[in-house]
Amino acid sequence: MNKRLNEGKGGLKLVTFLINILLFFFLLSPTTAQINLNGFGAVNKIPSFKNKQKIAAIDYNQDSITDLITFGSKNERITLHPGSKNGYDNSIDKFFFYLISDLKKFNNFDGLGQHHIFISRKEKLAGLISFTPKGTINLLNKIEFESYPSVMCTGDINNDGILEAIIGGTNFNGISILTQKRFKLFEERLLTNRIFSTVNLIDLDYDGYPELIAFDELENSIIIFANDEGNGFRDERKIKLNDKLLNQIISDFNNDGFIDIIYSTGSSINAIYGDSVSSFENTQTLIDDVENSDFIFKDINNDDKNDFLFLDKNNSQLLVSTALTDNEYSKPILLFKSGAINDFIPLTNNKESICLVDSDGYIYQIYTADKKNNLNIAASCSPDIFGLVNAGKKMYLYYFDEKNSAFILFLLNNQFGIAKYYKQNITTGFSKIKIAEQTEENIRFICFNGTGKHFDEILFNTQDQSLSTKRIFTKQKIIDADYFSSSITNGLPNRFAALTLSEGELRVESYNTNTQSLYTEYIDSNVVAGLIIAGNTDTTFYWTQKDSTIKFIRSFLQPPSSFISDTIFETDTSKVNLSNLNSEWMNDSEKVQMHSFMNSNENSFILLNSKVILLSDLFLSSKIEINNLKLSYRADKNQYSLWGYQNNSLSQYQVDLENKKVKLIYYIDYLNCKDYFAADFNKSQILIYTNTSENYFSLQKIE
């Protein structure tokens, strides 16, 4: 303890202050996203068949439950997922003659059954099909074109109770109308030598005869064709656009009783609002920072306002923007990402549910979390760094999205769905997130990468629900850092402390909240690992290795700034392999437990604060071969649990430290686990883990 650098003396204090001006950079940045999801974001993964490009929701078996159909595969097959009260887990893969581009429900004639209509861009045709209750597909009729259809809508043009189909497309000559008579389709050419990339039928003048709204690619205009009471369409008016329209949805978007046109240009989402005479003169840009995305809108958070969901096919990801007010929307946030998402649809029988289909043979249903004990929670990546934290009797899930350089925080509701989503952009990555403070007012995270000379504080204020960041640079490489509140450290000021290691020499560098250096304290040499935790006093735990001896040492602060050390454990280095030196909040109080696992040729140990526990005594075996050992504490039962992962299975052991006994109390088999985390919440234990191949969290409630 003789190498302490006292920075309160004379000229050294001034020099140190000037050095700090150069070394320490203070960064405050605003929250980049904060949206209310109200439980939306739970994920149900449904096995299907590979290479499907499109998905449709149709009650093909006429049981009044919506079914899912995927199609557009390379081998021209259709997969049926009959719906049930338990979901869509069953699938029927069927051969079909043509590669389907779109499929819609069509007419249901008495005695003839329910028919559906499809188009095939590849084969340049449209067809009429029906399904048996067991999923057999019957091709009833087809009609061929001279060009390539790619868009289709249906509606009752003549107001006679029989649906017609409107056909168009970017490589289709004009617009065709298909009518059905019993089992046959008939074509009427409406327009030629024009290109329409979208077609919609909707009644704008409320006379029972729907108008045709289509986007003319050559004129870059939305064309409204008036319906002459079933006697044909006339080219009535056009709405000239400045940017190219990629897709559109015609609906009463703002719930005022009038039809609106919502369209995407590839860089923005725009609204053309209707009125009592459908003048379409009032326009507005709703969202201006979304790129090349298909979109749908629906009220996903149950606030009676439409929200937007975007499918970015180029990056295979789902983005969400929720309504802040009637005319204002949040910045789109990345909610979910998968391997190769091709299409998505809303489920009309479920207000808060959508389905996505990918090329890898899966359907992902994104929905509002229910009261089930087990569920998956959507994520923007497959996180390597994540955890759960309790603050003010609320549970938060946090993770680091390395690819998108973002820190993500979820407030979970009582059903463990995402109640609110918070995102903070960061400038550099890190490999460790440490919870330095958790109170009703604040959650303070300390983040660092273990190889650099700086750490970030990310502070979440639970009162105004804001995120902010602060960066502090250190003199040496960081191996751990923490925040020390004056309320629990003998009246010393609020401050940060970084544990640094250089050439085996361990030091504590301490700074106040304005990043001014308070002191640098030399602790020991020959150090190989260490951590610092905040408690009633600043305490450092570390391993030293010299010659053939390895020691586990505790060093604690003697105010104002000197450290006192004592050796907890000592053994021969040939017998010991150090692993998992860590500190964790064990409950929602200010109690912090330090633990380290140590494996040797003969025995394994847990070092819990200053107590050494021989695992062989607990397990009654000579060696414990379990990977990724973790310790958790359940406050309501005053119970420690030891978790371990081995052979694709995760086990939980109840640990009786006093009697040195364990009992297997929980077991998950065939778990392709990447990492896991256990936390105590509302008199239950929550286990959350990530999968090596999935971008979501799996959460299980353990009673």
Side-chain angles (χ1 to χ4, degrees), residues 209-338:
Y209 297 91
E211 276 63 51
L212 171 60
I213 302 176
F215 180 70
D216 189 322
E217 288 270 329
L218 299 180
E219 295 191 18
N220 202 56
S221 299
I222 298 173
I223 310 297
I224 299 176
F225 298 92
N227 189 334
D228 188 13
E229 296 186 350
N231 295 313
F233 292 99
R234 64 179 185 272
D235 192 339
E236 184 179 65
R237 52 195 164 121
K238 68 177 65 175
I239 303 171
K240 185 72 175 178
L241 302 180
N242 295 324
D243 300 306
K244 182 178 179 180
L245 182 148
L246 294 185
N247 50 64
Q248 67 183 20
I249 298 176
I250 315 296
S251 176
D252 180 9
F253 174 74
N254 55 3
N255 298 316
D256 63 354
F258 304 118
I259 299 301
D260 310 305
I261 303 173
I262 311 299
Y263 68 95
S264 167
T265 65
S267 61
S268 64
I269 301 295
N270 305 272
I272 306 175
Y273 294 112
D275 51 30
S276 59
V277 293
S278 297
S279 64
F280 296 113
E281 294 178 349
N282 183 15
T283 64
Q284 180 187 9
T285 296
L286 300 173
I287 303 171
D288 59 4
D289 52 359
V290 58
E291 298 181 1
N292 298 318
S293 298
D294 293 341
F295 74 93
I296 56 178
F297 59 78
K298 65 182 307 180
D299 180 13
I300 62 172
N301 55 13
N302 201 28
D303 63 355
D304 296 324
K305 297 182 179 68
N306 278 314
D307 309 299
F308 281 95
L309 299 106
F310 306 98
L311 177 57
D312 181 354
K313 294 181 182 179
N314 292 335
N315 297 299
S316 190
Q317 55 193 23
L318 176 71
L319 299 97
V320 176
S321 175
T322 59
L324 303 177
T325 64
D326 288 338
N327 298 310
E328 183 181 2
Y329 284 82
S330 66
K331 289 182 177 294
I333 57 99
L334 174 56
L335 180 65
F336 180 68
K337 185 177 178 65
S338 186

